[in-house]
Amino acid sequence: MQLNPREEILRLWRAVVRHSFHDGSFVWATPGDALTDAQQLLCILHPATNLPSLKLDVPNETADDAREALRPLGDSTSIPVRLVHALNEYMVRHADADGQPRFTVDPARFRLNPDGPQPAEPPESVESYATGLRLSLAATGFAKVLRSVVAQQEARDVADELAERASIRLTAAMVGLLRSFAVRIVGHDEPVGAELRRILGQPERAASAVEAEFLSQLVLERAALFEVTIGSLPDARFEQPSQLFDLGFAWAVLAGAPMVEIYGDAPRQREGTAHPVPHLPSTMAVLHAAEELWSQRTRILTLLSDEHQRLARALQLRYELTTSYWSTLATFGDHRWPLERLPWRTLDGDASDLYSICIADIIAAELSRSRGSDIGFSHLVRVYADTGRRAGIIRPPYAGQRPRKASSGGLELPIASAADGPYPAAAYRVAGVEPTLLLGLVRAAGFTESPQLLNSFEDLVDLTWQHLTSRPDGASDVAANPLAAFSHDDRPNWSDIAVVTGALTLAVSLADGVSAQAAAPLNFVHNLLIDTESMVASVAGRTDPELDGIDVRLDRARQLAQHQPARAAALLYQIIATLDPVLDTAAE
């Protein structure tokens, strides 16, 4: 890989400090825009908390080039303290008078439904919850490490304040995400049903047979969905075994979503506004953020309280269900994947290369966790390469033409909102195709174990980076001012910059030869397995007919627990449902 990601991060740090800090104090974006402010802070904090060579929370171990890049913030001792002050200010700035966290987004990111009412307050979005989750975890860990190594009591006190505020914000972000999980019923005779059949393909076969085969591959996921109760709405139509559905995270909290019960101080839970329609860019953002809940750093530093762990287990189940569902749908069939018919078109008929990238990223993570074959990753190389051609990244320009410049204004995509909800938005602007493609490529490169496929992914990474950072005349925007390559109307596009920073952070590990295998899930499946084994042991020797084959099903769950926890959980829930009435009878 020709890209030097560590050097590019340092260049970005220099530019971010020049832009975002004046006289050592943070310069905030649009008032009330919690998302953009969090993205700016993460451009420094994400690499600093994920890369040992760029850590800032242990002053006497700060690398010389990292200290030099952040020189406007002071020396290696004052840099982390300045960052903690900025993070504390962020937590206060984006909270109401009662200290309740807010995740509001600049209304300029939205296009309102002209027929809807005027909103009374700025919106909150799933992207803002996911970004808030990541910032809260990074800030908590940063404060915890810094407090353990600094001697000044004032610095310790400020770090303690940050850890407390970040913990509260983390709870609120997780609650928002749980209330945004959507399971949509897809009617056979509705337009969305026709779109689903189009995605599944195989027009030479009877539609009913294709649908039945698709649903047969989702039996365990469907069973597990009955356990998705925290912050979610039940739908009686889902009881029908032949009912088609899709799932994922909407763009905001669902209209009518129930409140999540919290043990202790509960965060404010706003009225929902989104229809139960999966929004793929938001879904991708949630999945990436959720992976940090069970990262090695989170576990070692014990960043999650007992209540956080309870909410994380609920998010973990939704994470596994989402990745399993979309991987099944996008790879359905024996030959060409549905995903390879570019661009991906949603059930609502909206097509975008960004959707293709989001789904390819989900498949890559699923292949990594299930130890998928190289064949799956070879499909993904083709998908990413074809997407790059469509974006003008790979295909050379025609004679006399200049290379096509990457867009830096983000991408506006339609969203589904309740007409009578508090924010009737029709479209939402997210990070652009090229930055998201770079992130997807780096993640896939880290997941594959094939040297040949790794080289293919790395070649695409280099081409995408060159495309992102070059002007039409072929010169580079990055050397003089890295933010210029990701600016729109002379303003940095922090959504694009944050995505690129995440990609570069992963690329450092890739360049160092560290695998980016998807993180192991939380141990809730293993705890569930232990409980189920105990229940099965308590009925040993009984001859109730409903217990026939229960040991075989338990063995199957044990086999799946490590690499396919969603399927294992679904089996275990089925076993528990079988055992409950038997145990109740024994108790009587």
Side-chain angles (χ1 to χ4, degrees):
M1 186 168 62
Q2 297 176 6
L3 170 67
N4 185 338
R6 190 177 184 280
E7 180 58 35
E8 300 302 341
I9 290 174
L10 293 172
R11 286 177 177 171
L12 273 175
W13 275 7
R14 297 185 193 104
V16 169
V17 168
R18 286 197 303 268
H19 181 277
S20 301
F21 285 87
H22 288 174
D23 297 327
S25 298
F26 196 81
V27 179
W28 305 101
T30 304
D33 188 356
L35 173 57
T36 299
D37 286 343
Q39 289 170 333
Q40 287 189 72
L41 287 166
L42 278 171
C43 287
I44 294 178
L45 204 61
H46 183 68
T49 54
N50 283 275
L51 298 174
S53 67
L54 291 178
K55 63 183 175 183
L56 304 171
D57 46 12
V58 183
N60 62 0
E61 296 181 12
T62 302
D64 292 342
D65 53 359
R67 183 179 61 252
E68 182 64 25
L70 301 176
R71 178 188 288 183
L73 299 184
D75 58 20
S76 59
T77 300
S78 59
I79 287 171
V81 175
R82 287 270 174 84
L83 288 175
V84 167
H85 278 292
L87 288 163
N88 257 323
E89 187 179 350
Y90 171 90
M91 301 292 171
V92 174
R93 179 183 177 87
H94 295 292
D96 62 20
D98 297 324
Q100 293 291 332
R102 295 181 304 196
F103 298 86
T104 48
V105 180
D106 184 358
R109 289 181 184 248
F110 292 88
R111 177 163 47 84
L112 294 180
N113 187 335
D115 299 327
Q118 288 298 311
E121 59 181 345
E124 294 186 348
S125 73
V126 162
E127 183 184 13
S128 189
Y129 295 137
T131 305
L133 185 156
R134 296 174 62 222
L135 182 66
S136 298
L137 281 176
T140 304
F142 192 85
K144 194 167 187 177
V145 173
L146 181 64
R147 192 198 186 288
S148 69
V149 298
V150 296
Q152 302 91 334
Q153 187 59 46
E154 181 183 358
R156 290 184 174 185
D157 291 343
V158 174
D160 287 341
E161 291 175 10
L162 174 59
E164 182 178 355
R165 288 174 175 143
S167 177
I168 294 171
R169 193 169 192 85
L170 176 60
T171 301
M174 296 169 77
V175 166
L177 294 178
L178 288 170
R179 298 179 70 222
S180 305
F181 183 71
V183 180
R184 173 169 54 171
I185 298 299
V186 176
H188 295 269
D189 300 326
E190 297 175 356
V192 289
E195 283 292 337
L196 182 56
R197 287 192 293 274
R198 177 195 59 79
I199 292 172
L200 295 175
Q202 305 182 32
E204 71 282 358
R205 298 176 60 194
S208 59
V210 176
E211 291 177 7
E213 181 183 344
F214 174 60
L215 289 173
S216 72
Q217 296 181 16
L218 295 171
V219 169
L220 298 182
E221 289 78 4
R222 177 188 173 82
L225 278 171
F226 287 101
E227 303 300 324
V228 176
T229 55
I230 300 177
S232 298
L233 292 166
D235 192 315
R237 293 174 294 174
F238 197 65
E239 298 283 348
Q240 302 173 15
S242 61
Q243 180 63 64
L244 297 171
F245 64 96
D246 72 346
L247 56 83
F249 290 85
W251 72 270
V253 171
L254 301 186
M259 301 296 177
V260 175
E261 182 180 352
I262 297 296
Y263 303 118
D265 295 332
R268 180 173 64 96
Q269 301 184 42
R270 294 173 57 154
E271 179 185 353
T273 191
H275 275 314
V277 175
H279 183 248
L280 284 168
S282 296
T283 297
M284 181 179 180
V286 175
L287 300 182
H288 290 179
E291 289 173 358
E292 299 191 17
L293 288 170
W294 46 86
S295 71
Q296 184 181 35
R297 178 181 175 85
T298 299
R299 295 195 305 272
I300 290 176
L301 293 177
T302 60
L303 301 183
L304 303 182
S305 67
D306 289 345
E307 183 63 1
H308 290 148
Q309 291 185 45
R310 182 180 73 91
L311 298 175
R313 287 193 293 270
L315 276 173
Q316 172 67 28
L317 178 58
R318 288 153 180 78
Y319 174 99
E320 295 291 345
L321 290 170
T322 301
T323 55
S324 184
Y325 175 87
W326 285 100
S327 296
T328 300
L329 174 61
T331 64
F332 182 76
D334 296 328
H335 301 292
R336 191 185 184 205
W337 285 359
L339 179 60
E340 294 181 85
R341 298 192 290 270
L342 300 176
W344 184 270
R345 196 168 80 196
T346 68
L347 300 193
D348 302 290
D350 182 46
S352 173
D353 287 318
L354 187 64
Y355 297 145
S356 305
I357 297 168
C358 292
I359 296 173
D361 181 78
I362 291 173
I363 294 172
E366 182 73 7
L367 287 172
S368 171
R369 284 189 301 276
S370 61
R371 301 298 188 266
S373 68
D374 291 343
I375 295 176
F377 283 104
S378 66
H379 278 277
L380 289 178
V381 167
R382 291 199 299 270
V383 169
Y384 278 129
D386 289 345
T387 303
R389 292 187 185 95
R390 291 175 54 83
I393 294 172
I394 296 177
R395 181 186 296 123
Y398 294 107
Q401 287 186 333
R402 289 181 173 180
R404 175 178 158 189
K405 179 71 173 71
S407 171
S408 55
L411 185 65
E412 185 180 88
L413 295 173
I415 54 178
S417 305
D420 57 351
Y423 206 84
Y428 177 61
R429 186 168 296 278
V430 296
V433 168
E434 295 93 340
T436 311
L437 176 61
L438 180 72
L439 177 59
L441 285 167
V442 174
R443 281 171 57 87
F447 290 152
T448 184
E449 297 179 354
S450 163
Q452 182 178 358
L453 290 171
L454 174 61
N455 289 337
S456 297
F457 282 121
E458 289 181 337
D459 288 345
L460 291 173
V461 167
D462 287 330
L463 288 169
T464 304
W465 179 253
Q466 181 181 4
H467 179 76
L468 273 168
T469 59
S470 296
R471 298 196 299 265
D473 61 5
S476 174
D477 279 337
V478 169
N481 180 12
L483 299 187
F486 311 103
S487 295
H488 181 67
D489 293 337
D490 296 325
R491 296 179 59 187
N493 182 333
W494 291 105
S495 290
D496 282 1
I497 297 168
V499 170
V500 167
T501 302
L504 292 173
T505 302
L506 287 173
V508 171
S509 298
L510 185 63
D512 292 341
V514 179
S515 171
Q517 294 295 315
L522 292 174
N523 63 355
F524 86 100
V525 173
H526 297 284
N527 290 336
L528 186 63
L529 179 60
I530 292 171
D531 291 342
T532 309
E533 289 174 333
S534 177
M535 294 173 70
V536 171
S538 70
V539 297
R542 294 188 56 157
T543 58
D544 306 58
E546 56 265 42
L547 298 180
D548 288 348
I550 201 109
D551 290 327
V552 175
R553 291 156 65 190
L554 184 59
D555 284 340
R556 177 60 176 159
R558 291 191 187 102
Q559 296 169 10
L560 293 171
Q562 186 63 32
H563 300 305
Q564 294 180 287
R567 292 176 178 268
L571 268 177
L572 293 170
Y573 284 130
Q574 289 178 341
I575 296 171
I576 291 171
T578 301
L579 291 172
D580 265 343
V582 176
L583 293 174
D584 287 344
T585 302
E588 294 172 358

